[in-house]
Amino acid sequence: EVVLTQSPATLSLSPGERATLSCGASQSVSTNYLAWYQQKPGLAPRLLISDSSKRATGVPDRFSGSGSGTHFTLTISRLEPEDFAVYFCQQYGNSPITFGQGTRLEI
Amino acid sequence: QVQLQESGPGLVKPSETLSLTCTVSGYSISSGYYWGWIRQPPGKGLEWIGSIFHSGTTYYYPSLKSRVTMSVDTSKNQFSLKLNSVTAADTAVYYCARQWGSGDYDPWGQGILVTVSS
């Protein structure tokens, strides 16, 4: 199965700054089928990005996804207070579906 | 809009079977999409369990395949998860979700904590 490694494990930034989160895959993700989710404490994950770079409905344009093959990036251009959460990547191009271990974005 | 709600026992004894149901509102399961189960042990990451189509076609995570059964009841607009021979390692928040595209999930239910303990 494809192992996804997210870095860093924890990212400490301030509101207004730019955040760059990485997701590395142990093998190439077919068709760049890579998604990003945001999870806040006590809540279910929320889909942000699918197919590596497509924003989900209602997701602010400060969130952007990029990458291909084995390296993918989620960028938050200017952090808002509500963006501090845990972020997971997920690949669905290779069976079985797998998730990364998460990056905690903290103030 | 589409909403999902998990239901079932919050406590299961070791070696017994965990049974959960996901009720979908705002969309007819019979109309399409795959529907999935994902779990999250306390304080840990997400693990895909499997997905099911309204026809009954299923895909399971290989390491859980021998213990998992998913089913769908289109008359009730529900789909279900059974996980047998549970251990403490199966303690987690269990989420149901719609498989939106080829494997991304949106939306998700609120999740249900299932604890395996005697």
Side-chain angles (χ1 to χ4, degrees):
Chain A
E1 69 181 48
V2 176
V3 176
L4 298 179
T5 303
Q6 292 187 241
S7 60
T10 303
L11 183 59
S12 300
L13 293 171
S14 299
E17 292 191 297
R18 180 185 185 91
T20 303
L21 288 67
S22 294
C23 179
S26 60
Q27 57 188 275
S28 184
V29 176
S30 177
T31 325
N32 295 328
Y33 279 162
L34 192 288
W36 290 94
Y37 298 85
Q38 176 192 66
Q39 187 177 33
K40 296 182 178 180
L43 297 180
R46 169 197 178 196
L47 178 67
L48 298 176
I49 302 286
S50 60
D51 299 351
S52 177
S53 61
K54 297 178 183 177
R55 266 190 304 275
T57 302
V59 175
D61 60 9
R62 63 180 181 273
F63 290 90
S64 63
S66 63
S68 64
T70 60
H71 186 68
F72 299 87
T73 301
L74 174 69
T75 301
I76 310 171
S77 58
R78 286 180 57 86
L79 286 165
E80 297 288 342
E82 62 267 26
D83 298 337
F84 292 90
V86 178
Y87 293 83
F88 293 97
C89 59
Q90 175 218 358
Q91 70 80 25
Y92 46 99
N94 308 63
S95 181
I97 289 171
T98 52
F99 290 87
Q101 83 281 14
T103 289
R104 179 178 304 277
L105 178 56
E106 63 178 28
I107 300 177
Chain B
Q1 73 277 23
V2 182
Q3 293 184 314
L4 297 90
Q5 177 71 58
E6 304 88 351
S7 60
L11 181 65
V12 181
K13 290 182 169 55
S15 81
E16 295 190 345
T17 297
L18 177 159
S19 296
L20 297 175
T21 297
C22 182
T23 301
V24 180
S25 58
Y27 186 85
S28 171
I29 287 181
S30 300
S31 297
Y33 291 109
Y34 274 83
W35 304 84
W37 290 95
I38 301 105
R39 68 181 182 178
Q40 185 173 34
K44 296 187 178 181
L46 299 163
E47 180 179 53
W48 180 70
I49 300 171
S51 58
I52 186 167
F53 197 58
H54 65 81
S55 63
T57 300
T58 54
Y59 295 93
Y60 299 143
Y61 190 56
S63 67
L64 297 173
K65 189 175 182 178
S66 63
R67 299 195 291 131
V68 171
T69 303
M70 292 183 185
S71 60
V72 63
D73 186 338
T74 54
S75 67
K76 295 181 179 179
N77 220 34
Q78 296 175 332
F79 59 103
S80 299
L81 167 71
K82 290 187 186 299
L83 179 65
N84 60 36
S85 304
V86 297
T87 70
D90 295 310
T91 294
V93 175
Y94 286 75
Y95 296 101
C96 60
R98 181 178 66 177
Q99 189 165 309
W100 177 240
S102 299
D104 46 336
Y105 285 95
D106 181 60
W108 296 52
Q110 65 182 30
I112 183 169
L113 173 62
V114 179
T115 301
V116 178
S117 174
S118 57

